[in-house]
């Protein structure tokens, strides 16, 4: 059987092939509605948070990441359809608006104080980089400026000592993606 994704050359590292293949099998069963009893529950958020180990000659990370993004979008669309059938579109959109408001409130904070900081000797996201991207997100929420889910997924921040706490910034970015998927 051929590989699911292209592989890196041997000295280069790529995603662990066994982990990726196993995850994709679980995802396929979950999407088809035929999960095995020992499969973990799977939804768009869990797909977004999935991480794989690295190995020499593994799968090319960019190709796997792109597939995971498409998979996440497919699960998000299915989740929205189910929620709309159960509760109606109004409830789904009200939840998205509430999340958008929480995110907007966070982004409206004073530059340099939008997120918690790590200690002065620890590395966190560079404050200036995060604040600059936060301004773009503010324009998206407030004025409807165009920004894509891909822009949010692919943003990279440099690090600095005493920077913003990475986990907190990442949670807000995840919430932004949730809102963007909800209003598609």
């Amino acid at each position: 059987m051929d590989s699911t994704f292209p592989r890196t050359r041997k000295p280069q590292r790529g995603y662990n092939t066994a982990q990726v293949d196993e995850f994709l099998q679980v995802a396929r069963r979950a999407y088809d509605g035929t999960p095995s009893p020992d499969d973990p529950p799977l939804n768009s958020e869990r797909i977004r948070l999935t991480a794989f180990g690295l190995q020499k000659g593994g799968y090319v990370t960019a190709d796997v990441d792109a597939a995971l993004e498409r998979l996440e979008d497919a699960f998000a669309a299915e989740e929205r359809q189910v929620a709309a059938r159960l509760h109606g579109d109004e409830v789904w959109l009200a939840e998205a608006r509430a999340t958008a408001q929480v995110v907007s409130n966070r982004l409206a904070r004073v530059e340099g104080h939008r997120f918690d900081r790590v200690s002065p000797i620890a590395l966190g996201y560079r404050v200036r980089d995060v604040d600059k991207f936060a301004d773009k997100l503010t324009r998206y929420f407030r004025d409807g400026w165009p920004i894509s889910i891909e822009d949010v997924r692919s943003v990279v921040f440099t690090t600095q000592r005493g920077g913003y706490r990475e986990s907190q910034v990442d949670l807000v970015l995840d919430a932004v993606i949730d809102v963007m998927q909800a209003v598609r």
Side-chain angles (χ1 to χ4, degrees):
M1 182 169 128
D2 290 339
S3 295
T4 309
F5 298 99
R7 290 177 177 251
T8 62
R9 291 194 185 337
K10 275 292 186 193
Q12 296 175 329
R13 293 183 175 269
Y15 286 140
N16 181 292
T17 57
Q19 291 175 3
V20 172
D21 290 341
E22 180 182 338
F23 179 81
L24 291 177
Q25 288 174 1
V26 169
R28 175 171 285 157
R29 289 190 299 265
Y31 192 77
D32 292 343
T34 58
S36 295
D38 56 336
D39 285 349
L42 196 59
N43 59 26
S44 60
E45 180 182 16
R46 183 169 166 91
I47 293 168
R48 185 179 321 128
L49 299 175
T50 296
F52 303 109
L54 297 174
Q55 71 179 61
K56 289 181 181 178
Y59 289 142
V60 174
T61 59
D63 291 332
V64 175
D65 289 344
L68 288 178
E69 290 168 5
R70 291 189 303 272
L71 188 62
E72 177 190 348
D73 289 343
F75 270 75
E78 179 67 20
E79 290 162 13
R80 179 180 180 168
Q81 288 177 353
V82 168
R85 281 195 305 267
L86 293 174
H87 309 291
D89 280 330
E90 298 79 27
V91 172
W92 177 265
L93 291 174
E95 287 180 19
R97 278 192 294 276
T99 301
Q101 188 60 56
V102 169
V103 169
S104 293
N105 291 346
R106 166 69 65 175
L107 300 176
R109 293 180 178 182
V110 177
E111 285 188 18
H113 301 283
R114 288 181 170 140
F115 300 94
D116 292 340
R117 298 281 194 92
V118 295
S119 78
I121 58 171
L123 289 176
Y125 287 145
R126 186 172 183 209
V127 173
R128 191 175 333 146
D129 292 352
V130 174
D131 282 343
K132 184 176 178 181
F133 193 73
D135 290 341
K136 289 180 183 180
L137 292 174
T138 298
R139 289 192 297 273
Y140 167 79
F141 284 111
R142 186 187 61 214
D143 304 326
W145 271 46
I147 190 167
S148 70
I149 290 177
E150 179 57 32
D151 294 333
V152 179
R153 285 178 174 149
S154 63
V155 68
V156 176
F157 304 115
T158 55
T159 58
Q160 75 175 64
R161 295 201 186 283
Y164 281 143
R165 185 172 308 283
E166 293 177 13
S167 59
Q168 195 176 43
V169 174
D170 291 344
L171 282 172
V172 169
L173 294 177
D174 285 344
V176 169
I177 291 170
D178 288 341
V179 170
M180 294 173 100
Q181 287 176 327
V183 299
R184 270 189 169 175

